[in-house]
Amino acid sequence: MTTDAPTDVPTAEQAPHRPGYRFYVLAVLILIYMLNFLDRQIIGILAAPLKAEFELSDRQFGLLGGIAFASVYSTLAIPLAWLADRFSRVWIMTGALAVWSGFTALCGLAGSFGQLFLCRMGVGVGEAGGVAPAYSLISDYFPPQQRARALAAFAFGIPLGTAAGTLVGGLLAATYGWRTAFIVVGLIGVLVAPLLRLTVRDPRRGGTDAVKTEAQMAALAAAPEVSDRVGRIAAQIMLGLGAGLLALAAGAWLLGTSLGNPLVFGFAGLLALVIGVSLRIARRTASVVIPKRSFWLLALGAASSSVCGYGVAGWLPLFFMRSFDLSLRQTSWYYSGIALIGGMLGIWLGGAIADRLSKKGKGAYPLTPAIAFLISAPCFILAMNSPWLIGLVLPGGGSSTQQLVLAFFIFLIPTGLNLAWLGPITAAVQHLAPAAMRSTASALFLLINNLLGLAVGFYYFGWMSDLLAPTFGEESLRWAIYTGMGFYLLASVLLIGASRTLKRDWVD
């Protein structure tokens, strides 16, 4: 333990055995994850002013919300998780929070599409170190029988962050402009970073597991002695990456350039290099999880659902403005309510149900969200067609207020159900590898989930909207969302398959 540790904070040995402190750490991690999604999802509510400012098509905006962020976020997560499996997870998360929050604030200074694209990449650099280490920390603070619920509680950061980003970002943009919205929410994260570093400690890895191999514990015994020193180095490396990307952004500002071909090729080359290095670093953990059929079924199932989960969440604000004729301010209140209430209920129920059903078999972890996705798809379509639904009862489809109220309550169902996978699936992934490999195993899972889900999902709906625009005009986004519902069906099939293989691949 370092000498600068506050005297009222438990040591790494004591922390897991203090329930009060254990839940305090969970609360801090939820706050960090909330800021993670606030900075990630704020771009959705700012779609209209950003498209108007930079004269973007739906497809171009899809690049900002998806590929610019997800490509860097997904690939850098592996080397950062590899470091987190060996050194201080708290230091890495602190550096990550400072970087992604700083780049969110810089988005407010962007003067072109290229500059905004680079700043969104910077957000991805930081957020790459924010999730997998948190999964690992939670798994070491909570015993196996409580992990799905603890991870589900951690996932509360998603609806909280999405709702806060939508409401705060939308209201700030409506009142002061979109630039102020980016700057304010970014600076909040920078101010919160010291709280994480000063009050949260790394517990002993695998200390709450039911089964601990002597080899695992011996290999990790010396880690706390060097964790802070090397953790500082890891945080400095991350800050260096952020500074390098900031230099690229500054060059774009000085040259007044947009995202031209040289930058695209340079970005592609850098991304290929990072992927290669990441897979090389993660080869030991990859050799454990990649041969397991459950890993692929869980990862691809979650990714299929995330195409809709991330994609629809990013585009619904613009859908409400186009098809429901809401203003930016009205959309901020309307969608933040849906995201908060529906998301909180869905995440908690998913974790609680899976923990209860897992007593009868491990297959309950993927089976629970598989059923949820089968219900989500038709509910989304019904919610988007509330005037038709009311018209079955009231002549003329009722008033616009009645249509909005009905749509609100129906949207709560799929919004909750499409997040029900987070607790069960992330808990299951934690048990596909030994405790010493959990952060890296999570990062490999997130690489697949985010490259296919976040990058493809956000871009897919923008691309499809532009493709359908000649036929459907302003309603093209509605029809684009309809086509995406097929990804929920694919996710269900894959997760049902995982429910049959998970017991064989499980590691206690």
Side-chain angles (χ1 to χ4, degrees):
M1 187 177 68
T2 57
T3 57
D4 62 343
T7 57
D8 59 340
V9 177
T11 67
E13 292 291 331
Q14 297 169 331
H17 307 293
R18 295 267 300 269
Y21 181 69
R22 176 186 301 168
F23 287 104
Y24 167 78
V25 169
L26 181 59
V28 172
L29 294 178
I30 292 171
L31 173 62
I32 303 305
Y33 203 25
M34 173 183 169
L35 294 173
N36 181 299
F37 259 79
L38 191 159
D39 291 358
R40 185 187 309 187
Q41 295 295 108
I42 189 176
I43 197 167
I45 192 64
L46 301 180
L50 287 173
K51 281 168 58 64
E53 175 85 12
F54 299 114
E55 299 180 350
L56 304 177
S57 66
D58 285 353
R59 181 187 63 82
Q60 289 175 308
F61 184 72
L63 289 173
L64 284 177
I67 294 173
F69 171 86
S71 55
V72 183
Y73 169 71
S74 304
T75 52
L76 282 180
I78 294 177
L80 292 174
W82 180 85
L83 290 169
D85 272 335
R86 287 152 180 80
F87 311 117
S88 173
R89 292 166 284 191
V90 175
W91 259 111
I92 289 169
M93 289 186 65
T94 301
L97 175 58
V99 169
W100 89 60
S101 300
F103 271 102
T104 297
L106 286 175
C107 286
L109 304 178
S112 69
F113 173 71
Q115 294 165 6
L116 189 56
F117 189 96
L118 288 168
C119 288
R120 289 295 295 173
M121 285 176 62
V123 176
V125 168
E127 294 201 11
V131 180
Y135 286 165
S136 179
L137 281 172
I138 291 170
S139 294
D140 285 337
Y141 273 103
F142 291 86
Q145 67 272 20
Q146 297 177 7
R147 274 184 198 149
R149 277 170 290 180
L151 287 164
F154 172 67
F156 282 161
I158 295 177
L160 287 169
T162 301
T166 300
L167 183 61
V168 176
L171 294 181
L172 284 173
T175 306
Y176 302 106
W178 64 268
R179 295 182 183 277
T180 299
F182 274 126
I183 293 170
V184 169
V185 300
L187 291 179
I188 291 173
V190 173
L191 295 175
V192 169
L195 174 70
L196 173 64
R197 173 63 189 93
L198 295 175
T199 66
V200 174
R201 291 291 178 263
D202 274 284
R204 179 179 292 278
R205 299 171 199 258
T208 60
D209 287 348
V211 177
K212 298 177 280 295
T213 68
E214 301 226 350
Q216 288 175 5
M217 299 311 293
L220 294 165
E225 298 176 6
V226 297
S227 62
D228 274 353
R229 177 174 58 83
V230 184
R232 289 189 187 96
I233 296 173
Q236 289 167 3
I237 291 172
M238 191 183 326
L239 288 168
L241 286 169
L245 202 56
L246 177 58
L248 283 175
W253 253 286
L254 292 173
L255 295 174
T257 184
S258 63
L259 194 66
N261 288 334
L263 189 55
V264 171
F265 288 128
F267 166 69
L270 177 62
L271 183 59
L273 177 63
V274 171
I275 291 175
V277 172
S278 297
L279 294 178
R280 174 68 177 171
I281 287 173
R283 65 189 184 279
R284 184 181 172 196
T285 303
S287 68
V288 173
V289 298
I290 285 179
K292 295 183 177 183
R293 185 176 299 179
S294 298
F295 173 78
W296 289 103
L297 291 170
L298 291 171
L300 293 174
S304 297
S305 72
S306 293
V307 170
C308 278
Y310 286 126
V312 172
W315 285 101
L316 271 181
L318 193 59
F319 166 79
F320 290 137
M321 296 174 72
R322 286 183 181 177
S323 298
F324 282 19
D325 200 28
L326 298 181
S327 67
L328 177 59
R329 188 181 298 275
Q330 290 170 328
T331 300
S332 300
W333 285 104
Y334 189 74
Y335 185 50
S336 63
I338 293 172
L340 180 63
I341 299 171
M344 296 282 282
L345 289 174
I347 288 172
W348 181 251
L349 287 175
I353 292 171
D355 267 345
R356 182 177 295 273
L357 294 181
S358 66
K359 297 174 183 177
K360 299 181 179 180
K362 308 301 183 188
Y365 284 94
L367 193 59
T368 300
I371 295 171
F373 295 143
L374 290 175
I375 301 171
S376 292
C379 286
F380 263 124
I381 295 173
L382 286 175
M384 294 168 67
N385 290 277
S386 59
W388 170 81
L389 202 56
I390 288 184
L392 297 177
V393 181
L394 299 176
S399 66
S400 60
T401 300
Q402 291 172 323
Q403 294 168 8
L404 287 171
V405 170
L406 178 62
F408 181 92
F409 284 107
I410 300 177
F411 267 121
L412 293 178
I413 300 172
T415 299
L417 292 178
N418 71 26
L419 293 175
W421 69 270
L422 288 159
I425 299 303
T426 53
V429 171
Q430 297 296 298
H431 287 279
L432 293 178
M437 299 179 176
R438 281 181 179 148
S439 289
T440 309
S442 295
L444 288 168
F445 166 79
L446 291 170
L447 171 67
I448 297 171
N449 181 54
N450 291 313
L451 275 181
L452 294 178
L454 181 54
V456 173
F458 208 104
Y459 178 77
Y460 170 82
F461 290 104
W463 169 75
M464 184 59 70
S465 177
D466 279 352
L467 187 67
L468 297 175
T471 303
F472 297 103
E474 283 294 305
E475 289 295 307
S476 63
L477 186 54
R478 173 194 296 274
W479 286 91
I481 294 174
Y482 289 164
T483 67
M485 294 297 109
F487 288 101
Y488 277 139
L489 304 181
L490 176 58
S492 294
V493 171
L494 292 167
L495 293 178
I496 289 171
S499 71
R500 300 183 177 184
T501 64
L502 189 56
K503 182 178 180 181
R504 180 176 68 245
D505 297 331
W506 192 270
V507 176
D508 284 313

